[in-house]
Amino acid sequence: MRRKKLGQILVEAGLISEDQLVTALEEQKKGTKKHLGKIIVEKQWAKDEDICQALSKQLNIPHVKLKNLEIPEEVLETISRKQANRRLILPYEKTGRRLRLAMANPLDYGTINEVKFKTGLDVSVAVAAEEDIREAIDEKYGDDFDFDMFATMVPTEEVEVLAEEREDNEYDVDELIRQSEIAPIVRLTNAILADAIKLSASDIHIEPHEKEVSVRYRIDGMMKNIFKVGLPALAPLVSRIKIIGDMDISVKRRPQDGRTKLKVGKNQFDMRISTLPTIFGEKVVIRILDQSKAFIDLEELGFKSDDLSVYTSMLTRPQGIVLVTGPTGSGKSTTLYGSLNRLRSEVINIVTVEDPVEYQLPGISQVQVNEKAGITFASGLRSILRQDPNVVMVGEIRDAETAKIAFQAANTGHLVLTTLHTNDASSAVTRLVDLGVDPYVIASSLLCVLAQRLVRKNCPHCLMSDKVDKKLLTRFGFSDTKNFENKIKKGQGCEACQFTGYMGRIGIYEVLRVDDELRKLIVKGASDTEIAENARERGIDDMFGDCRDKLLKGVTSVEELMRVAPPPEVKGIVAPVEEAVVGLAEDKVPEPSRDQLRILAVDDDPFIRKMLEKVLTEAQYDVVLATDGEEALEKVYRERPDLIISDVVMPKLDGLSLVKKLKGHLQTSIIPVILLTSMDEVENEVEGLEAGADDYIPKPIVANLLLARINRVLSIYGREQ
C-alpha cells in the first residue's frame, strides 16, 4: 500500500483544499527551504495546532508539546543538534531500546530510518508543531553553537591530561569543572590539542573577534588559520582549558598563566597556557613543548661542520662566556639545551636559571625565575655562584645587573652560556657596552658569539627544481649562473606538507670566535660595521652565507632566504625582494574578505563540472573546479571554500576517501560536503553520511533541488549567502 503524503492527509482532514495544496507545493518547488506545514500556516489556511491534531488522528500517533517537557541529557545526546535542526526532530524520551521522537513531519520515513541506523534504537514517532520543535532545540541544546560539527574529528592519538601536584585553591570550582567536562567541550579541546601536536605546531592561538572565534596554529614559525567557530563556543572552551591548566576560571578580567602535561600517544608534552582579556573576550595561547626535544644533539640543528667544530671547541673551555643571539623564536633555547646535553657529565656541576624552564634535563640543577619570590636572573645568578658550579646557563641577559654578574662569573672560573637579543653577531658587542659592561671585560671574557635564525625546510615529498631569475642569482654572488640554475629547489606543495611546500625548520648560523685581533677591536671600541668587516676578512660566513649554502643543497628555498636572511646588498630595498617572494606560501598573506561564498565543485565528468559551474555562478557563488579528489584536496587548502560538492566515483581519490581526509583534520573538518552519485541506493547514502558528508544528492542534478540543498547545508553552518 502506498504511503500517504502530508498534503494528502491535510486535504482528507478538511484543513486545506486541493487548490491550496497545489499552490503550497508550487511555492515549495521554487527553491524555498520551508516545510510544507509552515507554508500552510504562514498563509493562514490552518494553525500549527490544527495540523498536529489532524496528523495525530489520521496516523494514530501521539501529539506532544515540548515546551515544558524535561528531557534527560542522555536522550538529547542520541541525536546531534545539527541533525535535529536539519530534520526538524527532537528526541524526548528513551525507554530501554525505544527512542521516542517528536517530528514536524512524521511522514518523513527517510529521517526515521536514518535515526534508527545511527542510534541503533527502535523509534516511535510523535507529532509536534514546527515552532515548538525549534524553540525546544534552542532551549534543550543550549548555546547556538553546534559542537557536533566536530563529531567526526577524532584525535589520531588518545589525549590524556596528566595530574600534577597543585596548590590548594581558595575557591570552589566543582560546579565549573562539571560544566567544562560536557562531552562536546572535552572532545573539541582534545581535538585541538591532538591536531596541533600532529601538525608539529609550537603554539595554539584561540582568538575572539566581534562575531566569531578563530583558532590558529604556529607551524614552522608561521601562523596558520585552522578554523573559526561562533562566539558561544568561547566561554566553555576557555573554561575547559583553564581547568586543565590549574587556572582560576572565575577570573576573566586579568591575564593568567597556567601549565599542564599531556600524554598523546606515547609522547609527553608540556603545555604553557596564557590568557589575556580582550574587548571581545579572553584570548588563549598555548605553547607546546615536546619533552623529547630536550635531548637534541647539536649535530641535528643544521651547523656546518666548520662552524660546529668552532662552537663545540668553545664549550670545552673552563671559563668564559658563550653568547647566543637572535630574536624571539630563532631557536636560541634549543641551541642552549643542545649545548648542555653536550656538556652533561658526572664530573661537572651544571646549574641554570631560566624563565621559564622549558625542558627538564636529568643531572642538571634548573632554577625557575620567580619575581614574586625575589628570584630574578640577577639574584638567581648570584645564588648559583655560591653553589660551586662549573657551568652556568643564564636564560637571557635582560639588564645591566645580569650582564655584569655574568661577566664576573666568567672571570672567576666559570663557563657561562647565555642569550642576548641582537640582530647579528657583531652587534652583540656594542649591545653589551650599552648595558654597561666595560670593553676590556668583554674582550677578556667573551669566547664567541653565535647568531642564528630558523628557516623552513623544503618538503622532501614534493621537492622540484625552482626557476630563479638570473639577476637574483647574481645578487646572491653566483657569477656563473648556469651552474646554479638546476641546483635550487623548492617544495611544490602536497598533502604531506599541507600544501605549503615546507616541512620542519633548520638553523642558519654565524659563529664569531673572539681571537686576539677581534679583542683589540673590542678594546678600541670598534663599531658593529668594523667588527663585521673584520669577520668577513677572516672568512667567517654571516647568516646569509650559511643560508645560501643550504639553498644550493636544496634544503631551503629562495623565498625563505629572502624572508629570513637576505643578502646585505638588498637589505631595505623593496624591488629586488619582490622578485623573490612571488611564490611565498599563501598562508602568510591574509586572504581578502569575499562578498561571495566559495564552492568547490569536484567531478571527473567535464559535462557535470560545466553544468555545476553554470548553475552555481548564476546563483552568485564563487566557483572553483577540480577534476578529481587529489586536485580537490590541494584546492581545499589553497582556495579555502565554504562548501564542497563532490562526485563519489572519481580517479586517484574518490569522494568518500576525500571526505574522510577532510574530516580527519580540524582545518578542513568544518567545511560542509555534499556528495553526488548516480547510484540512488540507501546503502550508498548511508556510507556517505557515515564518512562525514552533510548531504547526498543523486544524479541527474536538478538545479533548484541542488540550490535548495546548498542553502540548507550552509544555513546549518551559519554561512548563508
Side-chain angles (χ1 to χ4, degrees):
M1 181 178 176
R2 188 177 179 184
R3 291 168 172 169
K4 293 182 180 180
K5 295 185 177 180
L6 175 62
Q8 183 183 355
I9 288 178
L10 296 181
V11 170
E12 290 178 358
L15 287 180
I16 59 173
S17 66
E18 288 281 0
D19 291 341
Q20 288 172 330
L21 175 60
V22 170
T23 301
L25 291 173
E26 286 178 350
E27 182 171 331
Q28 197 177 40
K29 287 179 182 178
K30 291 178 181 177
T32 177
K33 296 179 286 184
K34 293 177 182 177
H35 178 250
L36 180 64
K38 188 172 183 64
I39 295 174
I40 293 170
V41 171
E42 287 180 351
K43 292 186 176 295
Q44 298 183 350
W45 294 336
K47 295 180 180 179
D48 252 338
E49 187 69 19
D50 296 334
I51 294 174
C52 289
Q53 292 289 357
L55 288 172
S56 175
K57 183 177 180 180
Q58 291 284 327
L59 300 174
N60 194 26
I61 60 174
H63 170 207
V64 62
K65 295 184 179 181
L66 304 168
K67 188 170 185 180
N68 297 317
L69 198 63
E70 291 291 333
I71 304 177
E73 188 72 27
E74 63 174 17
V75 175
L76 289 171
E77 288 181 353
T78 59
I79 293 176
S80 69
R81 178 178 184 137
K82 174 180 171 183
Q83 188 180 15
N85 264 322
R86 185 171 65 181
R87 303 298 192 188
L88 280 178
I89 58 177
L90 187 75
Y92 66 93
E93 187 179 307
K94 181 175 176 286
T95 307
R97 296 192 51 78
R98 174 71 58 180
L99 180 68
R100 302 192 184 280
L101 192 67
M103 304 181 68
N105 181 8
L107 297 168
D108 186 355
Y109 300 106
T111 294
I112 296 171
N113 289 331
E114 182 181 324
V115 172
K116 285 181 180 179
F117 179 84
K118 285 195 171 184
T119 63
L121 301 172
D122 298 324
V123 175
S124 294
V125 175
V127 64
E130 179 176 339
E131 288 306 313
D132 195 8
I133 291 177
R134 291 190 188 278
E135 289 176 5
I137 289 172
D138 289 339
E139 177 190 349
K140 310 299 183 186
Y141 282 97
D143 292 329
D144 292 334
F145 177 67
D146 181 14
F147 291 103
D148 193 68
M149 65 175 63
F150 298 102
T152 57
M153 180 60 218
V154 180
T156 53
E157 300 282 0
E158 183 181 352
V159 177
E160 177 185 355
V161 179
L162 300 178
E164 291 189 25
E165 293 293 329
R166 305 185 187 275
E167 297 179 1
D168 292 335
N169 293 307
E170 296 179 356
Y171 50 90
D172 181 12
V173 298
D174 288 347
E175 178 62 19
L176 295 173
I177 290 175
R178 188 192 68 79
Q179 293 176 5
S180 72
E181 290 182 347
I182 297 172
I185 295 295
V186 174
R187 183 173 65 237
L188 174 58
T189 307
N190 288 351
I192 290 173
L193 296 173
D195 189 58
I197 290 169
K198 177 183 177 182
L199 296 177
S200 300
S202 61
D203 300 88
I204 302 169
H205 290 242
I206 299 171
E207 303 168 326
H209 305 290
E210 184 177 5
K211 296 180 180 179
E212 61 193 7
V213 179
S214 65
V215 177
R216 300 196 292 167
Y217 300 160
R218 187 177 293 280
I219 302 174
D220 293 337
M222 310 298 291
M223 294 297 292
K224 187 177 185 65
N225 290 316
I226 301 302
F227 66 92
K228 295 179 180 179
V229 296
L231 270 179
L234 180 65
L237 180 58
V238 171
S239 293
R240 172 64 184 167
I241 293 170
K242 281 183 174 181
I243 285 176
I244 66 175
D246 194 24
M247 301 157 76
D248 189 344
I249 62 175
S250 66
V251 175
K252 297 185 178 182
R253 297 182 182 273
R254 69 168 184 262
Q256 293 189 70
D257 294 309
R259 60 183 296 175
T260 190
K261 290 183 179 180
L262 296 180
K263 186 177 180 182
V264 180
K266 296 181 179 180
N267 295 326
Q268 186 170 305
F269 299 84
D270 276 358
M271 300 284 173
R272 304 295 169 86
I273 305 168
S274 171
T275 65
L276 181 70
T278 73
I279 58 173
F280 298 118
E282 288 183 281
K283 174 179 176 177
V284 179
V285 175
I286 304 173
R287 168 65 57 88
I288 303 172
L289 299 172
D290 184 352
Q291 289 302 314
S292 64
K293 293 182 179 178
F295 304 99
I296 195 165
D297 291 326
L298 290 174
E299 286 81 359
E300 300 174 38
L301 300 182
F303 282 97
K304 291 190 297 187
S305 58
D306 291 346
D307 286 346
L308 183 61
S309 296
V310 172
Y311 181 70
T312 53
S313 69
M314 297 298 106
L315 298 179
T316 62
R317 300 291 183 88
Q319 67 183 57
I321 283 191
V322 174
L323 198 59
V324 182
T325 73
T328 301
S330 59
K332 300 188 299 297
S333 295
T334 301
T335 300
L336 288 178
Y337 279 109
S339 303
L340 293 176
N341 277 319
R342 176 65 65 96
L343 291 168
R344 275 193 304 156
S345 168
E346 292 182 358
V347 298
I348 65 173
N349 178 24
I350 302 176
V351 188
T352 74
V353 55
E354 307 170 59
D355 185 22
V357 175
E358 294 187 358
Y359 302 110
Q360 297 173 11
L361 294 174
I364 293 177
S365 301
Q366 296 172 271
V367 178
Q368 168 78 50
V369 167
N370 185 345
E371 294 187 0
K372 291 181 179 179
I375 303 175
T376 63
F377 279 119
S379 65
L381 185 51
R382 283 197 188 94
S383 300
I384 285 173
L385 296 178
R386 294 191 287 270
Q387 294 288 313
D388 186 31
N390 300 103
V391 178
V392 176
M393 192 269 271
V394 184
E396 182 184 345
I397 291 179
R398 293 179 179 175
D399 51 45
E401 185 181 11
T402 307
K404 290 177 181 178
I405 299 171
F407 274 88
Q408 288 171 9
N411 276 325
T412 55
H414 305 90
L415 178 64
V416 179
L417 310 181
T418 187
T419 71
L420 191 67
H421 285 285
T422 61
N423 290 328
D424 50 34
S426 58
S427 60
V429 174
T430 53
R431 173 64 178 148
L432 290 170
V433 172
D434 291 340
L435 286 172
V437 183
D438 293 328
Y440 72 89
V441 175
I442 299 172
S444 63
S445 302
L446 188 61
L447 298 175
C448 79
V449 181
L450 172 66
Q452 68 177 76
R453 297 286 191 282
L454 294 175
V455 295
R456 292 186 292 176
K457 296 191 294 184
N458 288 325
C459 173
H461 304 285
C462 56
L463 191 62
M464 294 180 66
S465 295
D466 187 22
K467 188 175 181 180
V468 184
D469 189 279
K470 291 183 179 180
K471 294 180 181 179
L472 197 55
L473 289 173
T474 303
R475 292 193 184 99
F476 291 166
F478 302 140
S479 55
D480 187 1
T481 58
K482 289 185 179 179
N483 292 332
F484 297 99
E485 286 179 349
N486 295 323
K487 292 185 178 180
I488 296 176
K489 310 288 185 181
K490 180 183 177 182
Q492 301 302 302
C494 64
E495 185 180 353
C497 62
Q498 299 271 296
F499 298 95
T500 62
Y502 299 99
M503 184 178 290
R505 290 189 291 176
I506 193 170
I508 57 171
Y509 303 94
E510 177 187 359
V511 182
L512 181 61
R513 182 170 62 88
V514 181
D515 58 8
D516 291 339
E517 188 176 346
L518 185 53
R519 288 191 183 96
K520 292 177 183 178
L521 288 175
I522 294 173
V523 172
K524 285 170 54 180
S527 66
D528 299 355
T529 305
E530 290 174 307
I531 294 174
E533 288 176 353
N534 176 264
R536 302 296 89 77
E537 289 171 2
R538 290 188 288 149
I540 298 174
D541 253 347
D542 58 7
M543 286 181 286
F544 161 70
D546 190 17
C547 193
R548 182 178 60 179
D549 290 344
K550 290 179 170 64
L551 176 70
L552 291 178
K553 293 177 182 177
V555 174
T556 192
S557 67
V558 171
E559 287 81 7
E560 279 297 281
L561 183 150
M562 296 300 290
R563 181 180 71 87
V564 179
E569 61 269 25
V570 299
K571 282 183 179 177
I573 301 175
V574 176
V577 176
E578 287 179 344
E579 295 177 15
V581 298
V582 173
L584 277 175
E586 64 272 20
D587 60 350
K588 295 197 304 187
V589 181
E591 184 181 8
S593 59
R594 301 194 302 257
D595 294 330
Q596 296 175 302
L597 292 177
R598 179 170 292 168
I599 296 179
L600 172 61
V602 192
D603 202 300
D604 59 327
D605 187 332
F607 174 77
I608 298 293
R609 287 200 307 274
K610 188 173 182 179
M611 188 194 73
L612 285 171
E613 183 178 26
K614 182 177 183 297
V615 171
L616 296 174
T617 302
E618 289 178 353
Q620 303 301 309
Y621 290 107
D622 180 19
V623 183
V624 178
L625 301 176
T627 59
D628 58 59
E630 285 189 0
E631 183 185 355
L633 196 60
E634 177 179 354
K635 290 189 173 179
V636 166
Y637 285 96
R638 298 197 187 282
E639 303 292 343
R640 299 175 185 172
D642 298 288
L643 181 139
I644 300 168
I645 301 173
S646 175
D647 189 17
V648 172
V649 181
M650 296 185 296
K652 295 184 179 178
L653 187 69
D654 62 65
L656 293 178
S657 299
L658 173 63
V659 172
K660 290 175 182 177
K661 283 181 178 290
L662 294 173
K663 298 301 179 181
H665 296 280
L666 272 181
Q667 185 179 2
T668 55
S669 64
I670 60 173
I671 302 175
V673 182
I674 297 175
L675 288 176
L676 303 174
T677 182
S678 56
M679 297 177 290
D680 187 12
E681 298 178 4
V682 174
E683 290 79 6
N684 292 321
E685 181 173 352
V686 169
E687 188 177 7
L689 293 171
E690 287 299 305
D694 295 86
D695 209 340
Y696 208 95
I697 302 177
K699 297 177 183 178
I701 297 170
V702 179
N704 286 344
L705 175 62
L706 175 66
L707 294 175
R709 294 287 185 90
I710 290 172
N711 288 335
R712 185 182 68 180
V713 170
L714 287 173
S715 67
I716 293 171
Y717 284 79
R719 301 177 187 173
E720 292 92 344
Q721 179 80 297

